Amino acid sequence: MPLFLLHALLMMAGFLTVFAALTVAMTQRRKKWWLKTHKALGLTGSSLILLGAITAIAAVSATPQAHHLRSPHTWLGAATVLAVIITPTLGLLQFRIPRKVETLRVAHRLSGRIVNLMAPVAILLGLRVAGIV
């Protein structure tokens, strides 16, 4: 499988999983299982996106002409990957730093929403770069 295709599949799967985590958090809070499911989906989706980023780096490194960070897709993608690292970190820190729980919760929610806005735009820009859209 070409690295480009693997990158695209990992990013799409990661976004859909992170979006599912957001959906669970926003709609299933009254259920006992919501937090475990939210965590599992969020960490799985974040891992898939990180693997997709590593695949993109490998794909770019394998090309004879370096095209590092030349398009809006790559810049937004890099920012999305950074946000994907920050979001679960903030979510997990809520349980480790009780005196900062409200601040961390607000930051985690905001960061999660930002990820879920940036990721589909980055994906669409990537499909545009690939000539698919």
Side-chain angles (χ1 to χ4, degrees), residues 27-39:
T27 63
Q28 302 300 315
R29 281 196 149 152
R30 291 197 167 106
K31 310 280 179 123
K32 285 184 177 184
W33 50 264
W34 85 269
L35 184 58
K36 284 185 181 183
T37 303
H38 172 71
K39 279 184 186 179

Side-chain angles (χ1 to χ4, degrees), residues 1-48:
M1 176 182 302
L3 287 176
F4 158 74
L5 183 57
L6 182 58
H7 164 70
L9 290 173
L10 286 167
M11 289 302 195
M12 183 62 75
F15 165 65
L16 291 173
T17 309
V18 167
F19 184 74
L22 174 78
T23 303
V24 166
M26 292 181 77
T27 63
Q28 302 300 315
R29 281 196 149 152
R30 291 197 167 106
K31 310 280 179 123
K32 285 184 177 184
W33 50 264
W34 85 269
L35 184 58
K36 284 185 181 183
T37 303
H38 172 71
K39 279 184 186 179
L41 288 169
L43 291 172
T44 300
S46 296
S47 298
L48 290 169

Side-chain angles (χ1 to χ4, degrees), residues 105-128:
R105 184 173 293 138
V106 168
H108 171 67
R109 287 177 177 171
L110 178 62
S111 183
R113 289 176 178 135
I114 290 170
V115 165
N116 278 280
L117 291 172
M118 289 189 330
V121 175
I123 289 169
L124 288 172
L125 288 172
L127 292 173
R128 186 171 164 224

Side-chain angles (χ1 to χ4, degrees), residues 17-106:
T17 309
V18 167
F19 184 74
L22 174 78
T23 303
V24 166
M26 292 181 77
T27 63
Q28 302 300 315
R29 281 196 149 152
R30 291 197 167 106
K31 310 280 179 123
K32 285 184 177 184
W33 50 264
W34 85 269
L35 184 58
K36 284 185 181 183
T37 303
H38 172 71
K39 279 184 186 179
L41 288 169
L43 291 172
T44 300
S46 296
S47 298
L48 290 169
I49 289 173
L50 290 173
L51 287 171
I54 291 167
T55 306
I57 292 167
V60 170
S61 297
T63 59
Q65 299 170 340
H67 296 288
H68 305 291
L69 300 173
R70 286 194 177 178
S71 72
H73 166 69
T74 56
W75 284 101
L76 186 59
T80 302
V81 169
L82 180 62
V84 159
I85 294 167
I86 291 169
T87 301
T89 302
L90 291 169
L92 294 171
L93 283 175
Q94 294 177 76
F95 302 102
R96 303 275 189 243
I97 309 173
R99 68 186 185 283
K100 296 285 186 179
V101 70
E102 278 306 313
T103 304
L104 290 168
R105 184 173 293 138
V106 168

